[in-house]
Amino acid sequence: MQNIISLIVSDFKNNVLKIFFMLFMHRILFYLYSKMDRMYFYVLCTPIIILYKVYTEFLLNCEISFKTKIGKNIIIHHGQSLIINKNTVIGDNVILRHSTTIGNKSQNPLESPILGNNVEIGSNCVILGNILIDDNVIIGAGSVVVKNIQKNSIVAGNPAIFIKKRI
């Protein structure tokens, strides 16, 4: 329980109020989903799930499932048109910008990206497939990432190519 409180506090410190409210509902639903039996979860939490979906998808124009594992200290700038697959894993200290898609590229929904810690993603990026974005990576705006990215790298372009090592 202490962990979820620290996550909520960091979300409040790092994001504007409209994004914080979305992350607050996400954290609560993810916590309950991971702790409860599925049947009880869906019976008890359906009103919260509906509120979360209405707020996230219709008002903020984001698509982030409450099943998505998100690390601490996430920063979401603007949040408009942000789409994240439910099987994506997002590490700590990640910065996401608007119009970004993170998802799978095949029929297998489990083939989703894993983002490491201290990853910064520019606006209008597409990250697809069963790939690993390692720690301390910067992805430039408008990039299309379909291959693994090594740690401490800066990449950009379509398709994304290595630019230089991050210092």
Side-chain angles (χ1 to χ4, degrees):
M1 188 65 168
Q2 181 65 29
N3 189 28
I4 189 170
I5 293 171
S6 66
L7 290 172
I8 291 170
V9 168
S10 74
D11 291 340
F12 181 73
K13 289 178 181 177
N14 294 326
N15 295 283
V16 296
L17 193 58
K18 67 180 183 178
I19 300 297
F20 164 72
F21 186 61
M22 175 186 67
L23 289 171
F24 175 76
M25 287 190 290
H26 176 276
R27 300 282 189 200
I28 298 297
L29 286 170
F30 183 81
Y31 178 78
L32 294 174
Y33 182 76
S34 63
K35 299 293 183 190
M36 295 175 72
D37 181 64
R38 296 296 179 256
M39 186 182 78
Y40 293 125
F41 171 79
Y42 284 110
V43 168
L44 295 173
C45 296
T46 297
I48 302 170
I49 294 170
I50 292 170
L51 176 65
Y52 175 74
K53 286 200 167 281
V54 166
Y55 184 77
T56 306
E57 293 181 16
F58 296 109
L59 295 177
L60 291 182
N61 197 25
C62 294
E63 194 174 314
I64 303 172
S65 173
F66 62 86
K67 298 175 187 176
T68 304
K69 185 176 181 184
I70 299 175
K72 64 182 178 183
N73 294 326
I74 187 167
I75 298 173
I76 298 176
H77 291 293
H78 308 296
Q80 300 296 342
S81 302
L82 184 64
I83 300 172
I84 302 175
N85 184 286
K86 68 181 178 181
N87 296 311
T88 299
V89 177
I90 299 175
D92 299 336
N93 307 313
V94 172
I95 299 174
L96 297 172
R97 291 187 175 78
H98 63 283
S99 299
T100 295
T101 300
I102 304 173
N104 58 340
K105 65 179 180 179
S106 69
Q107 295 295 332
N108 186 355
L110 297 177
E111 293 183 356
S112 295
I114 298 173
L115 277 62
N117 300 326
N118 306 313
V119 174
E120 185 173 343
I121 300 173
S123 63
N124 203 29
C125 287
V126 178
I127 301 170
L128 297 174
N130 188 18
I131 61 173
L132 172 66
I133 312 256
D134 220 333
D135 298 340
N136 304 315
V137 168
I138 296 175
I139 300 172
S143 298
V144 177
V145 181
V146 292
K147 295 182 181 175
N148 293 342
I149 300 176
Q150 296 177 353
K151 64 172 40 177
N152 302 317
S153 297
I154 298 174
V155 299
N158 179 5
I161 58 172
F162 175 80
I163 303 296
K164 66 178 183 176
K165 278 288 198 193
R166 184 175 179 184
I167 298 173

Short mmCIF file of all heavy atoms in Angstrom, two decimals, residues 63-103:
data_model
loop_
_atom_site.label_atom_id
_atom_site.label_comp_id
_atom_site.label_asym_id
_atom_site.label_seq_id
_atom_site.Cartn_x
_atom_site.Cartn_y
_atom_site.Cartn_z
N GLU A 63 -5.35 6.58 -24.96
CA GLU A 63 -5.77 5.20 -24.83
C GLU A 63 -4.68 4.46 -24.05
O GLU A 63 -3.71 3.98 -24.62
CB GLU A 63 -5.98 4.58 -26.21
CG GLU A 63 -6.71 3.28 -26.18
CD GLU A 63 -7.02 2.77 -27.57
OE1 GLU A 63 -7.49 3.57 -28.41
OE2 GLU A 63 -6.79 1.57 -27.81
N ILE A 64 -4.86 4.40 -22.74
CA ILE A 64 -3.93 3.72 -21.86
C ILE A 64 -4.74 2.76 -21.00
O ILE A 64 -5.55 3.20 -20.18
CB ILE A 64 -3.16 4.70 -20.95
CG1 ILE A 64 -2.43 5.74 -21.79
CG2 ILE A 64 -2.17 3.94 -20.07
CD1 ILE A 64 -1.80 6.85 -20.97
N SER A 65 -4.54 1.47 -21.18
CA SER A 65 -5.28 0.48 -20.40
C SER A 65 -4.81 0.51 -18.95
O SER A 65 -3.65 0.75 -18.66
CB SER A 65 -5.05 -0.92 -20.98
OG SER A 65 -5.63 -1.90 -20.16
N PHE A 66 -5.74 0.22 -18.05
CA PHE A 66 -5.36 0.14 -16.64
C PHE A 66 -4.49 -1.08 -16.37
O PHE A 66 -3.90 -1.21 -15.32
CB PHE A 66 -6.61 0.11 -15.73
CG PHE A 66 -7.51 -1.06 -15.96
CD1 PHE A 66 -7.29 -2.26 -15.31
CD2 PHE A 66 -8.59 -0.97 -16.80
CE1 PHE A 66 -8.11 -3.35 -15.52
CE2 PHE A 66 -9.44 -2.05 -17.01
CZ PHE A 66 -9.19 -3.25 -16.37
N LYS A 67 -4.36 -1.98 -17.34
CA LYS A 67 -3.51 -3.16 -17.20
C LYS A 67 -2.05 -2.88 -17.54
O LYS A 67 -1.18 -3.71 -17.31
CB LYS A 67 -4.03 -4.29 -18.10
CG LYS A 67 -5.43 -4.74 -17.75
CD LYS A 67 -5.92 -5.76 -18.74
CE LYS A 67 -7.38 -6.10 -18.49
NZ LYS A 67 -7.90 -7.01 -19.52
N THR A 68 -1.77 -1.71 -18.11
CA THR A 68 -0.41 -1.35 -18.49
C THR A 68 0.43 -1.10 -17.25
O THR A 68 0.04 -0.35 -16.36
CB THR A 68 -0.42 -0.06 -19.35
OG1 THR A 68 -1.26 -0.26 -20.47
CG2 THR A 68 0.97 0.30 -19.81
N LYS A 69 1.60 -1.73 -17.20
CA LYS A 69 2.49 -1.54 -16.05
C LYS A 69 3.33 -0.29 -16.27
O LYS A 69 4.11 -0.21 -17.23
CB LYS A 69 3.39 -2.76 -15.88
CG LYS A 69 4.24 -2.69 -14.64
CD LYS A 69 5.05 -3.94 -14.43
CE LYS A 69 5.87 -3.80 -13.17
NZ LYS A 69 6.74 -4.93 -12.95
N ILE A 70 3.15 0.69 -15.38
CA ILE A 70 3.84 1.97 -15.49
C ILE A 70 4.68 2.20 -14.24
O ILE A 70 4.16 2.10 -13.13
CB ILE A 70 2.84 3.13 -15.67
CG1 ILE A 70 2.03 2.93 -16.95
CG2 ILE A 70 3.56 4.47 -15.69
CD1 ILE A 70 0.95 3.96 -17.16
N GLY A 71 5.95 2.52 -14.41
CA GLY A 71 6.86 2.75 -13.30
C GLY A 71 6.63 4.10 -12.64
O GLY A 71 5.75 4.87 -13.03
N LYS A 72 7.49 4.40 -11.68
CA LYS A 72 7.34 5.65 -10.92
C LYS A 72 7.91 6.84 -11.69
O LYS A 72 8.68 6.68 -12.62
CB LYS A 72 8.00 5.53 -9.55
CG LYS A 72 9.50 5.33 -9.61
CD LYS A 72 10.08 5.16 -8.22
CE LYS A 72 11.57 4.93 -8.35
NZ LYS A 72 12.21 4.68 -7.09
N ASN A 73 7.50 8.03 -11.27
CA ASN A 73 7.98 9.30 -11.81
C ASN A 73 7.75 9.47 -13.31
O ASN A 73 8.56 10.07 -14.01
CB ASN A 73 9.47 9.51 -11.51
CG ASN A 73 9.74 9.66 -10.04
OD1 ASN A 73 8.92 10.21 -9.30
ND2 ASN A 73 10.87 9.15 -9.59
N ILE A 74 6.65 8.95 -13.81
CA ILE A 74 6.33 9.15 -15.22
C ILE A 74 5.88 10.60 -15.42
O ILE A 74 5.21 11.18 -14.57
CB ILE A 74 5.26 8.16 -15.71
CG1 ILE A 74 5.09 8.29 -17.22
CG2 ILE A 74 3.94 8.37 -14.97
CD1 ILE A 74 4.31 7.17 -17.85
N ILE A 75 6.29 11.17 -16.53
CA ILE A 75 5.86 12.51 -16.90
C ILE A 75 5.21 12.42 -18.27
O ILE A 75 5.82 11.92 -19.22
CB ILE A 75 7.05 13.49 -16.95
CG1 ILE A 75 7.71 13.60 -15.57
CG2 ILE A 75 6.60 14.85 -17.45
CD1 ILE A 75 8.99 14.40 -15.56
N ILE A 76 3.97 12.88 -18.35
CA ILE A 76 3.25 12.89 -19.62
C ILE A 76 2.98 14.35 -19.98
O ILE A 76 2.22 15.02 -19.31
CB ILE A 76 1.93 12.09 -19.53
CG1 ILE A 76 2.23 10.63 -19.20
CG2 ILE A 76 1.16 12.21 -20.84
CD1 ILE A 76 1.00 9.77 -19.01
N HIS A 77 3.65 14.82 -21.03
CA HIS A 77 3.44 16.18 -21.50
C HIS A 77 2.25 16.18 -22.45
O HIS A 77 2.24 15.46 -23.44
CB HIS A 77 4.67 16.72 -22.23
CG HIS A 77 5.84 16.95 -21.33
ND1 HIS A 77 5.84 17.92 -20.36
CD2 HIS A 77 7.04 16.32 -21.24
CE1 HIS A 77 7.00 17.89 -19.71
NE2 HIS A 77 7.75 16.93 -20.23
N HIS A 78 1.26 16.98 -22.17
CA HIS A 78 0.06 17.18 -22.97
C HIS A 78 -0.85 15.95 -22.99
O HIS A 78 -2.01 16.07 -22.68
CB HIS A 78 0.38 17.64 -24.39
CG HIS A 78 1.28 18.81 -24.43
ND1 HIS A 78 0.93 20.04 -23.92
CD2 HIS A 78 2.54 18.95 -24.90
CE1 HIS A 78 1.93 20.87 -24.08
NE2 HIS A 78 2.92 20.24 -24.67
N GLY A 79 -0.36 14.81 -23.37
CA GLY A 79 -1.15 13.59 -23.32
C GLY A 79 -2.11 13.38 -24.47
O GLY A 79 -2.71 12.32 -24.57
N GLN A 80 -2.31 14.34 -25.34
CA GLN A 80 -3.26 14.16 -26.43
C GLN A 80 -2.76 13.11 -27.41
O GLN A 80 -1.60 13.05 -27.74
CB GLN A 80 -3.49 15.49 -27.16
CG GLN A 80 -4.03 16.58 -26.30
CD GLN A 80 -5.43 16.28 -25.75
OE1 GLN A 80 -6.14 15.42 -26.25
NE2 GLN A 80 -5.83 17.01 -24.73
N SER A 81 -3.69 12.26 -27.87
CA SER A 81 -3.41 11.22 -28.88
C SER A 81 -2.33 10.25 -28.44
O SER A 81 -1.55 9.76 -29.25
CB SER A 81 -3.04 11.84 -30.22
OG SER A 81 -4.08 12.67 -30.66
N LEU A 82 -2.26 9.96 -27.18
CA LEU A 82 -1.28 9.01 -26.64
C LEU A 82 -1.93 7.63 -26.60
O LEU A 82 -2.98 7.46 -26.00
CB LEU A 82 -0.86 9.46 -25.24
CG LEU A 82 0.21 8.66 -24.54
CD1 LEU A 82 1.53 8.76 -25.29
CD2 LEU A 82 0.40 9.17 -23.12
N ILE A 83 -1.30 6.64 -27.25
CA ILE A 83 -1.84 5.28 -27.28
C ILE A 83 -0.76 4.34 -26.81
O ILE A 83 0.35 4.31 -27.35
CB ILE A 83 -2.28 4.90 -28.71
CG1 ILE A 83 -3.38 5.86 -29.18
CG2 ILE A 83 -2.76 3.46 -28.75
CD1 ILE A 83 -3.75 5.70 -30.62
N ILE A 84 -1.09 3.55 -25.76
CA ILE A 84 -0.13 2.60 -25.19
C ILE A 84 -0.82 1.24 -25.07
O ILE A 84 -1.88 1.13 -24.45
CB ILE A 84 0.38 3.06 -23.82
CG1 ILE A 84 1.05 4.43 -23.94
CG2 ILE A 84 1.35 2.03 -23.24
CD1 ILE A 84 1.49 5.02 -22.62
N ASN A 85 -0.23 0.22 -25.66
CA ASN A 85 -0.76 -1.13 -25.60
C ASN A 85 -0.78 -1.62 -24.15
O ASN A 85 0.11 -1.31 -23.37
CB ASN A 85 0.11 -2.05 -26.47
CG ASN A 85 -0.43 -3.45 -26.55
OD1 ASN A 85 -0.33 -4.22 -25.61
ND2 ASN A 85 -0.98 -3.79 -27.70
N LYS A 86 -1.76 -2.44 -23.83
CA LYS A 86 -1.92 -2.91 -22.45
C LYS A 86 -0.79 -3.82 -21.99
O LYS A 86 -0.55 -3.96 -20.80
CB LYS A 86 -3.26 -3.62 -22.26
CG LYS A 86 -3.38 -4.93 -23.01
CD LYS A 86 -4.74 -5.55 -22.80
CE LYS A 86 -4.87 -6.84 -23.57
NZ LYS A 86 -6.19 -7.41 -23.39
N ASN A 87 -0.06 -4.43 -22.89
CA ASN A 87 1.03 -5.33 -22.52
C ASN A 87 2.39 -4.64 -22.50
O ASN A 87 3.41 -5.27 -22.25
CB ASN A 87 1.06 -6.53 -23.45
CG ASN A 87 -0.18 -7.36 -23.33
OD1 ASN A 87 -0.59 -7.70 -22.21
ND2 ASN A 87 -0.82 -7.67 -24.43
N THR A 88 2.42 -3.36 -22.77
CA THR A 88 3.66 -2.59 -22.72
C THR A 88 4.09 -2.42 -21.27
O THR A 88 3.26 -2.24 -20.39
CB THR A 88 3.45 -1.21 -23.36
OG1 THR A 88 3.09 -1.39 -24.73
CG2 THR A 88 4.71 -0.36 -23.28
N VAL A 89 5.39 -2.48 -21.03
CA VAL A 89 5.95 -2.23 -19.69
C VAL A 89 6.76 -0.94 -19.78
O VAL A 89 7.64 -0.81 -20.63
CB VAL A 89 6.84 -3.40 -19.24
CG1 VAL A 89 7.47 -3.10 -17.89
CG2 VAL A 89 6.04 -4.70 -19.19
N ILE A 90 6.44 0.00 -18.89
CA ILE A 90 7.12 1.30 -18.88
C ILE A 90 7.90 1.41 -17.59
O ILE A 90 7.34 1.24 -16.50
CB ILE A 90 6.09 2.45 -19.01
CG1 ILE A 90 5.35 2.31 -20.34
CG2 ILE A 90 6.79 3.79 -18.90
CD1 ILE A 90 4.24 3.31 -20.52
N GLY A 91 9.19 1.71 -17.70
CA GLY A 91 10.06 1.80 -16.53
C GLY A 91 9.89 3.10 -15.76
O GLY A 91 8.94 3.85 -15.95
N ASP A 92 10.84 3.38 -14.90
CA ASP A 92 10.83 4.58 -14.05
C ASP A 92 11.39 5.78 -14.78
O ASP A 92 12.23 5.65 -15.67
CB ASP A 92 11.66 4.34 -12.79
CG ASP A 92 11.14 3.19 -11.94
OD1 ASP A 92 9.94 2.87 -12.06
OD2 ASP A 92 11.93 2.62 -11.17
N ASN A 93 10.94 6.97 -14.39
CA ASN A 93 11.44 8.25 -14.90
C ASN A 93 11.33 8.38 -16.42
O ASN A 93 12.24 8.86 -17.09
CB ASN A 93 12.90 8.46 -14.48
CG ASN A 93 13.09 8.30 -13.00
OD1 ASN A 93 12.33 8.85 -12.20
ND2 ASN A 93 14.08 7.53 -12.60
N VAL A 94 10.20 7.96 -16.96
CA VAL A 94 9.96 8.02 -18.40
C VAL A 94 9.19 9.30 -18.73
O VAL A 94 8.28 9.69 -18.00
CB VAL A 94 9.18 6.78 -18.89
CG1 VAL A 94 8.76 6.92 -20.34
CG2 VAL A 94 10.03 5.53 -18.71
N ILE A 95 9.57 9.96 -19.82
CA ILE A 95 8.88 11.15 -20.30
C ILE A 95 8.21 10.80 -21.63
O ILE A 95 8.87 10.38 -22.57
CB ILE A 95 9.84 12.33 -20.49
CG1 ILE A 95 10.49 12.70 -19.15
CG2 ILE A 95 9.11 13.53 -21.09
CD1 ILE A 95 11.57 13.74 -19.26
N LEU A 96 6.88 10.99 -21.69
CA LEU A 96 6.11 10.74 -22.91
C LEU A 96 5.51 12.05 -23.38
O LEU A 96 5.01 12.84 -22.59
CB LEU A 96 4.97 9.74 -22.64
CG LEU A 96 5.37 8.34 -22.21
CD1 LEU A 96 4.14 7.56 -21.79
CD2 LEU A 96 6.07 7.63 -23.34
N ARG A 97 5.52 12.26 -24.69
CA ARG A 97 4.91 13.45 -25.27
C ARG A 97 3.74 13.05 -26.15
O ARG A 97 3.55 11.88 -26.46
CB ARG A 97 5.95 14.25 -26.03
CG ARG A 97 6.97 14.86 -25.08
CD ARG A 97 7.92 15.82 -25.78
NE ARG A 97 8.79 16.47 -24.81
CZ ARG A 97 9.85 15.90 -24.25
NH1 ARG A 97 10.18 14.66 -24.55
NH2 ARG A 97 10.58 16.57 -23.39
N HIS A 98 2.97 14.02 -26.58
CA HIS A 98 1.73 13.79 -27.29
C HIS A 98 1.92 13.09 -28.64
O HIS A 98 3.01 13.07 -29.19
CB HIS A 98 0.98 15.11 -27.49
CG HIS A 98 1.71 16.10 -28.32
ND1 HIS A 98 2.77 16.83 -27.85
CD2 HIS A 98 1.54 16.47 -29.60
CE1 HIS A 98 3.22 17.62 -28.81
NE2 HIS A 98 2.49 17.41 -29.89
N SER A 99 0.83 12.50 -29.11
CA SER A 99 0.76 11.82 -30.42
C SER A 99 1.75 10.67 -30.53
O SER A 99 2.31 10.43 -31.59
CB SER A 99 0.99 12.82 -31.56
OG SER A 99 0.00 13.80 -31.54
N THR A 100 1.95 9.96 -29.44
CA THR A 100 2.86 8.83 -29.44
C THR A 100 2.08 7.52 -29.38
O THR A 100 1.12 7.41 -28.63
CB THR A 100 3.83 8.92 -28.24
OG1 THR A 100 4.65 10.08 -28.41
CG2 THR A 100 4.71 7.70 -28.13
N THR A 101 2.51 6.55 -30.17
CA THR A 101 1.90 5.23 -30.17
C THR A 101 2.94 4.21 -29.75
O THR A 101 4.02 4.15 -30.33
CB THR A 101 1.35 4.87 -31.57
OG1 THR A 101 0.38 5.84 -31.94
CG2 THR A 101 0.74 3.48 -31.58
N ILE A 102 2.60 3.41 -28.75
CA ILE A 102 3.48 2.33 -28.29
C ILE A 102 2.65 1.06 -28.31
O ILE A 102 1.69 0.93 -27.53
CB ILE A 102 4.01 2.61 -26.87
CG1 ILE A 102 4.74 3.95 -26.83
CG2 ILE A 102 4.92 1.47 -26.41
CD1 ILE A 102 5.15 4.39 -25.43
N GLY A 103 2.98 0.14 -29.20
CA GLY A 103 2.14 -1.05 -29.31
C GLY A 103 2.78 -2.19 -30.05
O GLY A 103 3.97 -2.19 -30.34
#
